[in-house]
Amino acid sequence: MGKALSEMTLEELWELFPIFLVQHDDRWEEYYNEMEGFLRNILSDFQIRRISHIGSTAIKNIWAKNIIDILIEIDPGENMEDISKIMECNGFICMSSAADRVSFNRGYTENGFEEKVYHLHLRRAGDNNELYFRDYLNEHPQIAKEYEQLKLDLWKQYEHDRDGYTEAKSDFVTNWTLAAKEAYANRY
């Protein structure tokens, strides 16, 4: 048996879980819906403002990492730690934690990715820029294709450097998120 994920260095994790892109898959929406139902069930005792499919798998017809990103927005009075404990008891691994943001992964094993992989972002209601970006790209397919091309151009360069990959996309994401927020005002 190999090392446990918790014993691996960042470099070992990036080697085991490289950046990879695949063509859009209509099953991603199905995977999201399945997980949303599961989350609503295990979090039924909490005030959940919204659960949303975010990230590139929520953008129509572009290549993406085969990982479903989900945003859970909770009411201000909810206790992040209590929700985090429930998440961890139900197969999610806490990847980072701050006062009002906790990130979880599911579908990562010592042998690589499972068939269904999720990144879950737990936030306070209103911390949801990803919704604006998602909607804007879905409503502007040419910009979505520009984003896809950027991702394809960066893929091999950052195949084993997730932080570098994310940083290299950040100006594009920030610029179009600001445009979306201006266009959509207070949609969320």
Side-chain angles (χ1 to χ4, degrees):
M1 183 166 153
K3 283 185 180 179
L5 295 178
S6 60
E7 297 171 347
M8 291 183 187
T9 66
L10 190 57
E11 291 75 22
E12 289 172 320
L13 290 168
W14 284 347
E15 189 67 31
L16 183 59
F17 303 111
I19 299 291
F20 67 99
L21 300 175
V22 298
Q23 288 183 321
H24 182 85
D25 187 335
D26 290 335
R27 292 179 300 172
W28 292 337
E29 188 65 26
E30 177 185 317
Y31 295 168
Y32 163 75
N33 289 331
E34 178 182 296
M35 184 54 70
E36 180 188 2
F38 177 74
L39 293 168
R40 288 195 183 283
N41 183 52
I42 66 170
L43 301 175
S44 62
D45 291 339
F46 300 96
Q47 294 298 311
I48 305 299
R49 187 75 55 94
R50 181 182 302 119
I51 300 177
S52 305
H53 186 183
I54 60 170
S56 294
T57 60
I59 300 170
K60 296 177 225 144
N61 301 317
I62 69 168
W63 283 56
K65 292 190 305 288
N66 194 23
I67 296 171
I68 309 302
D69 283 284
I70 298 175
L71 174 65
I72 299 178
E73 295 177 76
I74 61 172
D75 282 352
E78 289 296 346
N79 186 311
M80 287 262 184
E81 287 183 30
D82 290 345
I83 295 173
S84 293
K85 288 176 188 171
I86 297 290
M87 299 303 296
E88 289 173 343
C89 287
N90 282 277
F92 288 88
I93 300 168
C94 182
M95 299 306 293
S96 66
S97 181
D100 289 326
R101 286 183 161 207
V102 184
S103 295
F104 300 92
N105 291 350
R106 183 173 172 150
Y108 289 72
T109 75
E110 289 82 4
N111 298 313
F113 293 111
E114 291 182 350
E115 179 185 350
K116 298 176 186 175
V117 181
Y118 299 91
H119 288 176
L120 193 137
H121 311 272
L122 180 62
R123 310 242 185 95
R124 299 281 175 208
D127 185 358
N128 55 20
N129 283 346
E130 294 88 347
L131 298 178
Y132 289 92
F133 183 74
R134 175 201 68 195
D135 289 357
Y136 201 79
L137 268 60
N138 276 325
E139 293 174 23
H140 297 86
Q142 182 54 41
I143 297 168
K145 284 298 180 185
E146 289 174 25
Y147 185 52
E148 174 186 64
Q149 189 58 55
L150 173 63
K151 291 158 59 75
L152 290 168
D153 290 346
L154 297 171
W155 174 9
K156 293 302 178 181
Q157 179 182 355
Y158 293 101
E159 186 173 12
H160 299 287
D161 180 359
R162 285 180 177 268
D163 291 343
Y165 178 76
T166 300
E167 177 61 32
K169 298 183 305 175
S170 67
D171 286 346
F172 185 97
V173 172
T174 298
N175 290 338
W176 289 112
T177 299
L178 292 172
K181 291 184 95 169
E182 185 175 314
Y184 301 144
N186 293 316
R187 177 178 280 192
Y188 300 105

